[in-house]
Amino acid sequence: MGQGKTTAIVTGGARGIGAAIARRLACDGMAVGVVDLTKEACAATVAAITGAGGSAVAVGADVADEAAVARAVGTVTEVLGPPTVLVNNAGIIRDNLLFKMDVADWDAVVAVHLRGAFLMSKAVQGHMVDARFGRIVNLSSTSALGNRGQANYAAAKAGLQGFTKTLAIELGRYGVTVNAIAPGFIETDMTAATAERMGVDFDELKKLAVERIPVGRAGQPEDIAHAAAFLASPGAGFVSGQVIYVAGGPAA
C-alpha cells in the first residue's frame, strides 16, 4: 500500500501529454498509476518516475471497457492506495471528412474519450468522496470549438467539457473539483501522425501552426503538465467546472 502519499491515476500515460503529466505529478510527490492499453507500453513512464525516486505502477487497460477499468482502479488502489486524483487523458484520433467517416471510427473515438472518462470517473469517485478530497482533470482540446476533418474528435472533446461542468456541480460538496484542459497545438507523436495522414511534412505543419500562435512557439507536453499539476493540487480547491485553454493565446 501507499505510505500516505496522494495517489493519482493518469490514463494514456505511456507517452506524450499523459507521460509528461504522470512524471510531473510524481515530481509533486504523488504516487502514480500509469494506465494505457498495455502494461508494457507504460514501462518507460514508470521507469522515469521510479528512477527519479518516485512511486508508480504500470497498468494495462482499455478505458472504454467497464470491467477493465474496474480491474485497473483495483490494482492501483491495492498497490499505491486509494486514488484521489484522476487525469482522463486517454485518447485516439480517426480523422476524416464527414462523408468519408465510417461509424466504427465515430464510435471508437467517442468510446475512448467520452465513455472512458465516464467509466474512470465513476470508478474513482467513491474513493474521493470517502476522502472528502478529489481532483479530476479531463483533457479536452481546442478542436472542441470545431476543426475540419474531426467531427468525431471535436464532438467528443466538446462533450468532455459538458461532462466536466456537470461533475463539478455534482461532486463539489464532497471536496472534489473537476476541470478540463484544452490544449492547442502540442508537439507529440499524435500530431506527427496527423501530419503524416494529411500528407504534410510535420515541420511544415508546425511552422504553419506557430505562425498563428501569439506566443510564437509550439506547445510541449510539459506545458499541459504544468496546468494539470496546478488543477490537481490542494491549492486549486476553489477552481472547478472550468475549461482552461492552454494554446499560447486566445483559443476562440
Side-chain angles (χ1 to χ4, degrees), residues 188-236:
T188 65
D189 291 342
M190 185 177 282
T191 49
T194 298
E196 185 176 347
R197 275 192 298 276
M198 293 169 61
V200 177
D201 179 74
F202 184 52
D203 287 337
E204 183 61 26
L205 180 68
K206 184 169 70 172
K207 180 174 177 288
L208 292 171
V210 168
E211 287 173 357
R212 300 192 298 269
I213 298 173
V215 301
R217 67 171 177 87
Q220 301 298 319
E222 290 73 20
D223 291 311
I224 308 306
H226 291 314
F230 166 67
L231 293 174
S233 71

mmCIF file of all heavy atoms in Angstrom, residues 188-236:
data_model
loop_
_atom_site.group_PDB
_atom_site.id
_atom_site.type_symbol
_atom_site.label_atom_id
_atom_site.label_comp_id
_atom_site.label_asym_id
_atom_site.label_seq_id
_atom_site.Cartn_x
_atom_site.Cartn_y
_atom_site.Cartn_z
ATOM 1 N N THR A 188 3.600 16.252 -30.315
ATOM 2 C CA THR A 188 3.550 14.875 -29.806
ATOM 3 C C THR A 188 3.578 13.911 -30.984
ATOM 4 O O THR A 188 3.479 14.318 -32.146
ATOM 5 C CB THR A 188 2.256 14.616 -29.008
ATOM 6 O OG1 THR A 188 1.137 14.719 -29.905
ATOM 7 C CG2 THR A 188 2.077 15.594 -27.859
ATOM 8 N N ASP A 189 3.680 12.631 -30.671
ATOM 9 C CA ASP A 189 3.594 11.610 -31.716
ATOM 10 C C ASP A 189 2.254 11.683 -32.437
ATOM 11 O O ASP A 189 2.161 11.405 -33.633
ATOM 12 C CB ASP A 189 3.763 10.207 -31.109
ATOM 13 C CG ASP A 189 5.174 9.960 -30.598
ATOM 14 O OD1 ASP A 189 6.092 10.705 -30.993
ATOM 15 O OD2 ASP A 189 5.357 9.006 -29.814
ATOM 16 N N MET A 190 1.198 12.063 -31.698
ATOM 17 C CA MET A 190 -0.130 12.120 -32.305
ATOM 18 C C MET A 190 -0.215 13.221 -33.356
ATOM 19 O O MET A 190 -0.781 13.014 -34.434
ATOM 20 C CB MET A 190 -1.205 12.324 -31.230
ATOM 21 C CG MET A 190 -2.625 12.268 -31.766
ATOM 22 S SD MET A 190 -3.903 12.432 -30.483
ATOM 23 C CE MET A 190 -3.891 10.797 -29.768
ATOM 24 N N THR A 191 0.354 14.391 -33.065
ATOM 25 C CA THR A 191 0.303 15.461 -34.059
ATOM 26 C C THR A 191 1.203 15.132 -35.248
ATOM 27 O O THR A 191 0.884 15.481 -36.387
ATOM 28 C CB THR A 191 0.698 16.823 -33.445
ATOM 29 O OG1 THR A 191 1.918 16.679 -32.714
ATOM 30 C CG2 THR A 191 -0.377 17.341 -32.524
ATOM 31 N N ALA A 192 2.298 14.433 -34.991
ATOM 32 C CA ALA A 192 3.160 13.998 -36.092
ATOM 33 C C ALA A 192 2.427 13.002 -36.987
ATOM 34 O O ALA A 192 2.523 13.044 -38.228
ATOM 35 C CB ALA A 192 4.448 13.379 -35.553
ATOM 36 N N ALA A 193 1.659 12.105 -36.365
ATOM 37 C CA ALA A 193 0.882 11.124 -37.127
ATOM 38 C C ALA A 193 -0.210 11.809 -37.935
ATOM 39 O O ALA A 193 -0.519 11.394 -39.057
ATOM 40 C CB ALA A 193 0.273 10.094 -36.180
ATOM 41 N N THR A 194 -0.779 12.873 -37.370
ATOM 42 C CA THR A 194 -1.797 13.632 -38.095
ATOM 43 C C THR A 194 -1.203 14.246 -39.363
ATOM 44 O O THR A 194 -1.805 14.199 -40.440
ATOM 45 C CB THR A 194 -2.368 14.750 -37.200
ATOM 46 O OG1 THR A 194 -2.995 14.149 -36.070
ATOM 47 C CG2 THR A 194 -3.394 15.584 -37.953
ATOM 48 N N ALA A 195 -0.013 14.806 -39.230
ATOM 49 C CA ALA A 195 0.657 15.392 -40.391
ATOM 50 C C ALA A 195 0.905 14.336 -41.461
ATOM 51 O O ALA A 195 0.699 14.580 -42.663
ATOM 52 C CB ALA A 195 1.971 16.033 -39.964
ATOM 53 N N GLU A 196 1.330 13.162 -41.029
ATOM 54 C CA GLU A 196 1.608 12.079 -41.976
ATOM 55 C C GLU A 196 0.347 11.667 -42.729
ATOM 56 O O GLU A 196 0.374 11.469 -43.940
ATOM 57 C CB GLU A 196 2.189 10.875 -41.226
ATOM 58 C CG GLU A 196 2.634 9.740 -42.150
ATOM 59 C CD GLU A 196 3.295 8.605 -41.398
ATOM 60 O OE1 GLU A 196 3.638 8.780 -40.216
ATOM 61 O OE2 GLU A 196 3.454 7.532 -41.998
ATOM 62 N N ARG A 197 -0.772 11.564 -41.991
ATOM 63 C CA ARG A 197 -2.029 11.196 -42.650
ATOM 64 C C ARG A 197 -2.480 12.260 -43.640
ATOM 65 O O ARG A 197 -3.113 11.967 -44.647
ATOM 66 C CB ARG A 197 -3.120 10.961 -41.600
ATOM 67 C CG ARG A 197 -3.122 9.560 -41.023
ATOM 68 C CD ARG A 197 -4.391 9.300 -40.233
ATOM 69 N NE ARG A 197 -4.507 10.214 -39.098
ATOM 70 C CZ ARG A 197 -3.932 10.007 -37.920
ATOM 71 N NH1 ARG A 197 -3.192 8.932 -37.728
ATOM 72 N NH2 ARG A 197 -4.075 10.866 -36.944
ATOM 73 N N MET A 198 -2.164 13.521 -43.306
ATOM 74 C CA MET A 198 -2.534 14.622 -44.205
ATOM 75 C C MET A 198 -1.597 14.720 -45.393
ATOM 76 O O MET A 198 -1.869 15.474 -46.339
ATOM 77 C CB MET A 198 -2.500 15.948 -43.425
ATOM 78 C CG MET A 198 -3.560 16.081 -42.351
ATOM 79 S SD MET A 198 -3.250 17.515 -41.262
ATOM 80 C CE MET A 198 -3.315 18.875 -42.442
ATOM 81 N N GLY A 199 -0.497 13.979 -45.343
ATOM 82 C CA GLY A 199 0.491 14.064 -46.404
ATOM 83 C C GLY A 199 1.290 15.350 -46.357
ATOM 84 O O GLY A 199 1.789 15.844 -47.363
ATOM 85 N N VAL A 200 1.433 15.888 -45.135
ATOM 86 C CA VAL A 200 2.138 17.159 -44.931
ATOM 87 C C VAL A 200 3.386 16.895 -44.087
ATOM 88 O O VAL A 200 3.360 16.101 -43.139
ATOM 89 C CB VAL A 200 1.225 18.174 -44.193
ATOM 90 C CG1 VAL A 200 1.965 19.473 -43.909
ATOM 91 C CG2 VAL A 200 -0.044 18.434 -44.988
ATOM 92 N N ASP A 201 4.484 17.550 -44.429
ATOM 93 C CA ASP A 201 5.690 17.453 -43.621
ATOM 94 C C ASP A 201 5.420 18.036 -42.238
ATOM 95 O O ASP A 201 4.846 19.130 -42.115
ATOM 96 C CB ASP A 201 6.826 18.224 -44.303
ATOM 97 C CG ASP A 201 8.120 18.189 -43.497
ATOM 98 O OD1 ASP A 201 8.773 17.136 -43.484
ATOM 99 O OD2 ASP A 201 8.444 19.228 -42.889
ATOM 100 N N PHE A 202 5.817 17.313 -41.187
ATOM 101 C CA PHE A 202 5.496 17.755 -39.829
ATOM 102 C C PHE A 202 6.112 19.107 -39.501
ATOM 103 O O PHE A 202 5.494 19.953 -38.870
ATOM 104 C CB PHE A 202 5.924 16.710 -38.809
ATOM 105 C CG PHE A 202 5.544 17.056 -37.390
ATOM 106 C CD1 PHE A 202 4.244 17.403 -37.067
ATOM 107 C CD2 PHE A 202 6.489 17.043 -36.374
ATOM 108 C CE1 PHE A 202 3.872 17.724 -35.764
ATOM 109 C CE2 PHE A 202 6.137 17.359 -35.066
ATOM 110 C CZ PHE A 202 4.828 17.701 -34.761
ATOM 111 N N ASP A 203 7.339 19.330 -39.927
ATOM 112 C CA ASP A 203 7.984 20.623 -39.668
ATOM 113 C C ASP A 203 7.228 21.756 -40.335
ATOM 114 O O ASP A 203 7.113 22.857 -39.786
ATOM 115 C CB ASP A 203 9.437 20.595 -40.136
ATOM 116 C CG ASP A 203 10.337 19.760 -39.227
ATOM 117 O OD1 ASP A 203 9.968 19.575 -38.051
ATOM 118 O OD2 ASP A 203 11.382 19.277 -39.708
ATOM 119 N N GLU A 204 6.699 21.475 -41.525
ATOM 120 C CA GLU A 204 5.924 22.499 -42.237
ATOM 121 C C GLU A 204 4.603 22.756 -41.510
ATOM 122 O O GLU A 204 4.174 23.909 -41.373
ATOM 123 C CB GLU A 204 5.662 22.044 -43.676
ATOM 124 C CG GLU A 204 4.929 23.062 -44.537
ATOM 125 C CD GLU A 204 5.677 24.377 -44.707
ATOM 126 O OE1 GLU A 204 6.932 24.380 -44.600
ATOM 127 O OE2 GLU A 204 5.018 25.415 -44.943
ATOM 128 N N LEU A 205 3.971 21.671 -41.045
ATOM 129 C CA LEU A 205 2.722 21.819 -40.288
ATOM 130 C C LEU A 205 2.963 22.618 -39.014
ATOM 131 O O LEU A 205 2.176 23.515 -38.658
ATOM 132 C CB LEU A 205 2.158 20.443 -39.941
ATOM 133 C CG LEU A 205 0.848 20.429 -39.147
ATOM 134 C CD1 LEU A 205 -0.302 20.959 -39.994
ATOM 135 C CD2 LEU A 205 0.531 19.026 -38.647
ATOM 136 N N LYS A 206 4.067 22.326 -38.334
ATOM 137 C CA LYS A 206 4.405 23.042 -37.109
ATOM 138 C C LYS A 206 4.662 24.521 -37.397
ATOM 139 O O LYS A 206 4.199 25.396 -36.657
ATOM 140 C CB LYS A 206 5.630 22.394 -36.452
ATOM 141 C CG LYS A 206 5.994 23.007 -35.114
ATOM 142 C CD LYS A 206 7.039 22.173 -34.386
ATOM 143 C CE LYS A 206 8.391 22.252 -35.070
ATOM 144 N NZ LYS A 206 9.451 21.603 -34.247
ATOM 145 N N LYS A 207 5.364 24.785 -38.487
ATOM 146 C CA LYS A 207 5.661 26.173 -38.865
ATOM 147 C C LYS A 207 4.371 26.965 -39.101
ATOM 148 O O LYS A 207 4.214 28.095 -38.633
ATOM 149 C CB LYS A 207 6.532 26.182 -40.116
ATOM 150 C CG LYS A 207 6.914 27.568 -40.630
ATOM 151 C CD LYS A 207 7.906 27.439 -41.776
ATOM 152 C CE LYS A 207 8.254 28.800 -42.360
ATOM 153 N NZ LYS A 207 7.140 29.371 -43.147
ATOM 154 N N LEU A 208 3.423 26.337 -39.808
ATOM 155 C CA LEU A 208 2.151 26.998 -40.077
ATOM 156 C C LEU A 208 1.372 27.230 -38.787
ATOM 157 O O LEU A 208 0.739 28.271 -38.610
ATOM 158 C CB LEU A 208 1.322 26.155 -41.058
ATOM 159 C CG LEU A 208 1.863 26.058 -42.483
ATOM 160 C CD1 LEU A 208 1.072 25.025 -43.284
ATOM 161 C CD2 LEU A 208 1.812 27.427 -43.169
ATOM 162 N N ALA A 209 1.427 26.254 -37.888
ATOM 163 C CA ALA A 209 0.720 26.389 -36.617
ATOM 164 C C ALA A 209 1.310 27.509 -35.777
ATOM 165 O O ALA A 209 0.583 28.330 -35.204
ATOM 166 C CB ALA A 209 0.766 25.070 -35.851
ATOM 167 N N VAL A 210 2.633 27.567 -35.711
ATOM 168 C CA VAL A 210 3.309 28.565 -34.886
ATOM 169 C C VAL A 210 3.016 29.980 -35.381
ATOM 170 O O VAL A 210 2.908 30.919 -34.579
ATOM 171 C CB VAL A 210 4.828 28.292 -34.851
ATOM 172 C CG1 VAL A 210 5.591 29.472 -34.241
ATOM 173 C CG2 VAL A 210 5.119 27.023 -34.054
ATOM 174 N N GLU A 211 2.857 30.142 -36.679
ATOM 175 C CA GLU A 211 2.551 31.458 -37.234
ATOM 176 C C GLU A 211 1.237 32.018 -36.689
ATOM 177 O O GLU A 211 1.029 33.228 -36.667
ATOM 178 C CB GLU A 211 2.484 31.371 -38.760
ATOM 179 C CG GLU A 211 3.844 31.223 -39.420
ATOM 180 C CD GLU A 211 3.748 30.978 -40.918
ATOM 181 O OE1 GLU A 211 2.607 30.870 -41.429
ATOM 182 O OE2 GLU A 211 4.807 30.898 -41.563
ATOM 183 N N ARG A 212 0.355 31.123 -36.235
ATOM 184 C CA ARG A 212 -0.956 31.562 -35.721
ATOM 185 C C ARG A 212 -1.003 31.604 -34.188
ATOM 186 O O ARG A 212 -2.033 31.925 -33.619
ATOM 187 C CB ARG A 212 -2.057 30.621 -36.231
ATOM 188 C CG ARG A 212 -2.176 30.569 -37.741
ATOM 189 C CD ARG A 212 -3.448 29.857 -38.173
ATOM 190 N NE ARG A 212 -3.475 28.464 -37.741
ATOM 191 C CZ ARG A 212 -3.011 27.448 -38.471
ATOM 192 N NH1 ARG A 212 -2.481 27.687 -39.673
ATOM 193 N NH2 ARG A 212 -3.078 26.205 -38.021
ATOM 194 N N ILE A 213 0.109 31.260 -33.540
ATOM 195 C CA ILE A 213 0.135 31.225 -32.073
ATOM 196 C C ILE A 213 0.796 32.499 -31.536
ATOM 197 O O ILE A 213 1.964 32.767 -31.845
ATOM 198 C CB ILE A 213 0.910 29.980 -31.579
ATOM 199 C CG1 ILE A 213 0.199 28.696 -32.045
ATOM 200 C CG2 ILE A 213 1.018 29.992 -30.051
ATOM 201 C CD1 ILE A 213 0.972 27.427 -31.759
ATOM 202 N N PRO A 214 0.065 33.309 -30.764
ATOM 203 C CA PRO A 214 0.609 34.589 -30.304
ATOM 204 C C PRO A 214 1.951 34.498 -29.589
ATOM 205 O O PRO A 214 2.797 35.388 -29.748
ATOM 206 C CB PRO A 214 -0.489 35.114 -29.370
ATOM 207 C CG PRO A 214 -1.754 34.560 -29.950
ATOM 208 C CD PRO A 214 -1.375 33.184 -30.418
ATOM 209 N N VAL A 215 2.195 33.457 -28.778
ATOM 210 C CA VAL A 215 3.465 33.392 -28.062
ATOM 211 C C VAL A 215 4.610 32.935 -28.962
ATOM 212 O O VAL A 215 5.771 32.904 -28.541
ATOM 213 C CB VAL A 215 3.394 32.493 -26.804
ATOM 214 C CG1 VAL A 215 2.339 33.010 -25.844
ATOM 215 C CG2 VAL A 215 3.139 31.032 -27.174
ATOM 216 N N GLY A 216 4.312 32.551 -30.188
ATOM 217 C CA GLY A 216 5.349 32.298 -31.183
ATOM 218 C C GLY A 216 6.095 30.987 -31.062
ATOM 219 O O GLY A 216 7.235 30.868 -31.521
ATOM 220 N N ARG A 217 5.474 29.985 -30.480
ATOM 221 C CA ARG A 217 6.105 28.667 -30.437
ATOM 222 C C ARG A 217 5.036 27.594 -30.342
ATOM 223 O O ARG A 217 3.892 27.870 -29.964
ATOM 224 C CB ARG A 217 7.051 28.540 -29.236
ATOM 225 C CG ARG A 217 6.380 28.550 -27.866
ATOM 226 C CD ARG A 217 7.372 28.192 -26.766
ATOM 227 N NE ARG A 217 6.804 28.256 -25.430
ATOM 228 C CZ ARG A 217 6.160 27.253 -24.834
ATOM 229 N NH1 ARG A 217 5.968 26.104 -25.479
ATOM 230 N NH2 ARG A 217 5.697 27.384 -23.604
ATOM 231 N N ALA A 218 5.423 26.372 -30.654
ATOM 232 C CA ALA A 218 4.525 25.239 -30.470
ATOM 233 C C ALA A 218 4.492 24.847 -28.999
ATOM 234 O O ALA A 218 5.440 25.106 -28.250
ATOM 235 C CB ALA A 218 4.989 24.053 -31.317
ATOM 236 N N GLY A 219 3.399 24.237 -28.593
ATOM 237 C CA GLY A 219 3.299 23.767 -27.222
ATOM 238 C C GLY A 219 4.052 22.460 -27.034
ATOM 239 O O GLY A 219 4.258 21.691 -27.973
ATOM 240 N N GLN A 220 4.477 22.218 -25.798
ATOM 241 C CA GLN A 220 5.146 20.983 -25.428
ATOM 242 C C GLN A 220 4.289 20.237 -24.404
ATOM 243 O O GLN A 220 3.505 20.857 -23.671
ATOM 244 C CB GLN A 220 6.527 21.281 -24.833
ATOM 245 C CG GLN A 220 7.452 22.031 -25.761
ATOM 246 C CD GLN A 220 7.760 21.248 -27.031
ATOM 247 O OE1 GLN A 220 7.967 20.034 -26.987
ATOM 248 N NE2 GLN A 220 7.772 21.933 -28.164
ATOM 249 N N PRO A 221 4.427 18.914 -24.321
ATOM 250 C CA PRO A 221 3.658 18.176 -23.321
ATOM 251 C C PRO A 221 3.802 18.740 -21.913
ATOM 252 O O PRO A 221 2.849 18.737 -21.133
ATOM 253 C CB PRO A 221 4.234 16.756 -23.422
ATOM 254 C CG PRO A 221 4.666 16.634 -24.848
ATOM 255 C CD PRO A 221 5.209 18.002 -25.192
ATOM 256 N N GLU A 222 4.986 19.260 -21.606
ATOM 257 C CA GLU A 222 5.217 19.823 -20.270
ATOM 258 C C GLU A 222 4.335 21.048 -20.005
ATOM 259 O O GLU A 222 4.005 21.335 -18.844
ATOM 260 C CB GLU A 222 6.697 20.182 -20.096
ATOM 261 C CG GLU A 222 7.619 18.985 -19.991
ATOM 262 C CD GLU A 222 7.831 18.244 -21.321
ATOM 263 O OE1 GLU A 222 7.591 18.836 -22.394
ATOM 264 O OE2 GLU A 222 8.220 17.061 -21.263
ATOM 265 N N ASP A 223 3.964 21.778 -21.050
ATOM 266 C CA ASP A 223 3.061 22.917 -20.861
ATOM 267 C C ASP A 223 1.719 22.454 -20.306
ATOM 268 O O ASP A 223 1.116 23.111 -19.443
ATOM 269 C CB ASP A 223 2.843 23.651 -22.186
ATOM 270 C CG ASP A 223 4.085 24.373 -22.678
ATOM 271 O OD1 ASP A 223 4.704 25.098 -21.874
ATOM 272 O OD2 ASP A 223 4.435 24.222 -23.862
ATOM 273 N N ILE A 224 1.244 21.329 -20.796
ATOM 274 C CA ILE A 224 -0.019 20.784 -20.310
ATOM 275 C C ILE A 224 0.161 20.205 -18.915
ATOM 276 O O ILE A 224 -0.711 20.326 -18.045
ATOM 277 C CB ILE A 224 -0.549 19.705 -21.284
ATOM 278 C CG1 ILE A 224 -0.584 20.246 -22.721
ATOM 279 C CG2 ILE A 224 -1.932 19.241 -20.852
ATOM 280 C CD1 ILE A 224 -1.350 21.536 -22.895
ATOM 281 N N ALA A 225 1.320 19.592 -18.677
ATOM 282 C CA ALA A 225 1.601 19.005 -17.363
ATOM 283 C C ALA A 225 1.608 20.073 -16.266
ATOM 284 O O ALA A 225 1.129 19.826 -15.150
ATOM 285 C CB ALA A 225 2.932 18.258 -17.388
ATOM 286 N N HIS A 226 2.127 21.246 -16.570
ATOM 287 C CA HIS A 226 2.137 22.330 -15.579
ATOM 288 C C HIS A 226 0.706 22.701 -15.186
ATOM 289 O O HIS A 226 0.400 22.883 -13.998
ATOM 290 C CB HIS A 226 2.846 23.567 -16.129
ATOM 291 C CG HIS A 226 4.324 23.404 -16.318
ATOM 292 N ND1 HIS A 226 5.138 22.839 -15.369
ATOM 293 C CD2 HIS A 226 5.136 23.738 -17.363
ATOM 294 C CE1 HIS A 226 6.394 22.828 -15.805
ATOM 295 N NE2 HIS A 226 6.405 23.357 -17.017
ATOM 296 N N ALA A 227 -0.172 22.829 -16.182
ATOM 297 C CA ALA A 227 -1.570 23.182 -15.903
ATOM 298 C C ALA A 227 -2.252 22.076 -15.115
ATOM 299 O O ALA A 227 -3.004 22.343 -14.159
ATOM 300 C CB ALA A 227 -2.314 23.449 -17.209
ATOM 301 N N ALA A 228 -1.996 20.827 -15.497
ATOM 302 C CA ALA A 228 -2.603 19.698 -14.794
ATOM 303 C C ALA A 228 -2.134 19.639 -13.346
ATOM 304 O O ALA A 228 -2.916 19.336 -12.432
ATOM 305 C CB ALA A 228 -2.269 18.397 -15.511
ATOM 306 N N ALA A 229 -0.851 19.923 -13.122
ATOM 307 C CA ALA A 229 -0.305 19.888 -11.766
ATOM 308 C C ALA A 229 -1.005 20.907 -10.870
ATOM 309 O O ALA A 229 -1.307 20.618 -9.703
ATOM 310 C CB ALA A 229 1.194 20.155 -11.797
ATOM 311 N N PHE A 230 -1.270 22.088 -11.406
ATOM 312 C CA PHE A 230 -1.994 23.089 -10.614
ATOM 313 C C PHE A 230 -3.401 22.610 -10.292
ATOM 314 O O PHE A 230 -3.837 22.635 -9.135
ATOM 315 C CB PHE A 230 -2.059 24.432 -11.339
ATOM 316 C CG PHE A 230 -3.068 25.367 -10.735
ATOM 317 C CD1 PHE A 230 -2.873 25.884 -9.457
ATOM 318 C CD2 PHE A 230 -4.228 25.703 -11.421
ATOM 319 C CE1 PHE A 230 -3.823 26.718 -8.881
ATOM 320 C CE2 PHE A 230 -5.177 26.537 -10.851
ATOM 321 C CZ PHE A 230 -4.984 27.050 -9.577
ATOM 322 N N LEU A 231 -4.120 22.146 -11.314
ATOM 323 C CA LEU A 231 -5.511 21.732 -11.097
ATOM 324 C C LEU A 231 -5.619 20.525 -10.171
ATOM 325 O O LEU A 231 -6.642 20.336 -9.509
ATOM 326 C CB LEU A 231 -6.174 21.426 -12.439
ATOM 327 C CG LEU A 231 -6.379 22.631 -13.363
ATOM 328 C CD1 LEU A 231 -6.903 22.177 -14.720
ATOM 329 C CD2 LEU A 231 -7.311 23.661 -12.740
ATOM 330 N N ALA A 232 -4.568 19.710 -10.115
ATOM 331 C CA ALA A 232 -4.561 18.529 -9.248
ATOM 332 C C ALA A 232 -4.110 18.843 -7.828
ATOM 333 O O ALA A 232 -4.183 17.980 -6.950
ATOM 334 C CB ALA A 232 -3.653 17.453 -9.846
ATOM 335 N N SER A 233 -3.670 20.055 -7.590
ATOM 336 C CA SER A 233 -3.077 20.405 -6.298
ATOM 337 C C SER A 233 -4.139 20.803 -5.273
ATOM 338 O O SER A 233 -5.241 21.238 -5.630
ATOM 339 C CB SER A 233 -2.099 21.572 -6.474
ATOM 340 O OG SER A 233 -2.808 22.773 -6.745
ATOM 341 N N PRO A 234 -3.810 20.697 -3.990
ATOM 342 C CA PRO A 234 -4.727 21.180 -2.941
ATOM 343 C C PRO A 234 -5.048 22.661 -3.101
ATOM 344 O O PRO A 234 -6.139 23.105 -2.758
ATOM 345 C CB PRO A 234 -3.948 20.905 -1.646
ATOM 346 C CG PRO A 234 -3.047 19.761 -1.985
ATOM 347 C CD PRO A 234 -2.636 20.011 -3.417
ATOM 348 N N GLY A 235 -4.101 23.417 -3.639
ATOM 349 C CA GLY A 235 -4.300 24.853 -3.786
ATOM 350 C C GLY A 235 -5.332 25.256 -4.817
ATOM 351 O O GLY A 235 -5.735 26.424 -4.865
ATOM 352 N N ALA A 236 -5.791 24.310 -5.614
ATOM 353 C CA ALA A 236 -6.781 24.615 -6.657
ATOM 354 C C ALA A 236 -8.200 24.307 -6.198
ATOM 355 O O ALA A 236 -9.099 24.112 -7.017
ATOM 356 C CB ALA A 236 -6.457 23.835 -7.924
#
